[in-house]
Amino acid sequence: MTPSCVGIRQTAYRTFYQMLASGSLPYDCVMVPSSREPWKIWANVLLFIGFGGFLAASLWQFGLIGYYSSKRPREPLPERGWTEPLRWTHGYYGSHAENEQLLQLFNWHIPFFVVAGAGFAIRKLHEKNEPWRAK
């Protein structure tokens, strides 16, 4: 790079950072205006996070159940530490830590369900209060 290009680039960066620091950027550059109301955005974000997390936890749990069902014996093997029947595997044995992992993964469904429920409640609350829906 030539020395003149370096100086121009440094000036451009300095000007951009000065604009950021002074808050003189136009509103359209900082945040895209939206015709959607904030409650609709928040309701959709909460629904997406809730149902997405619920789906991810379900797939992870079904994957572990399938893995344990295909790789573990139907009788206990104390030499490997597989002495406890694993939940939801219909009689396959594993360790206590693996059983606890399945239970913890099942409990991860609850917070995602609550987040999705909050998004659904926000949507229903605002739809109920819309004036054109009055009968």
Side-chain angles (χ1 to χ4, degrees):
M1 233 186 254
T2 63
S4 62
C5 290
V6 174
I8 292 170
R9 179 176 273 171
Q10 288 175 345
T11 305
Y13 284 137
R14 189 177 312 124
T15 306
F16 177 73
Y17 291 129
Q18 285 172 348
M19 283 176 49
L20 277 177
S22 67
S24 64
L25 281 174
Y27 177 75
D28 292 343
C29 182
V30 176
M31 188 169 187
V32 177
S34 175
S35 62
R36 299 178 70 184
E37 296 183 32
W39 68 266
K40 287 183 182 177
I41 295 170
W42 278 109
N44 287 339
V45 166
L46 290 174
L47 282 168
F48 182 77
I49 291 171
F51 285 127
F54 191 88
L55 180 67
S58 296
L59 289 175
W60 188 6
Q61 184 171 19
F62 288 136
L64 272 180
I65 290 171
Y67 173 76
Y68 290 148
S69 297
S70 67
K71 301 288 182 183
R72 297 304 162 93
R74 282 199 172 266
E75 64 276 341
L77 288 177
E79 60 271 6
R80 289 197 170 183
W82 297 340
T83 58
E84 191 170 325
L86 298 173
R87 293 184 188 266
W88 305 296
T89 60
H90 304 292
Y92 291 94
Y93 282 81
S95 68
H96 179 73
E98 292 166 344
N99 200 21
E100 289 298 316
Q101 184 182 19
L102 282 174
L103 289 173
Q104 285 177 342
L105 196 53
F106 179 74
N107 289 338
W108 269 101
H109 288 85
I110 297 168
F112 289 121
F113 190 73
V114 169
V115 169
F120 187 72
I122 289 171
R123 180 182 284 178
K124 284 300 174 188
L125 177 70
H126 283 280
E127 285 178 357
K128 187 174 83 171
N129 293 333
E130 291 174 347
W132 60 84
R133 292 193 183 264
K135 291 184 179 181

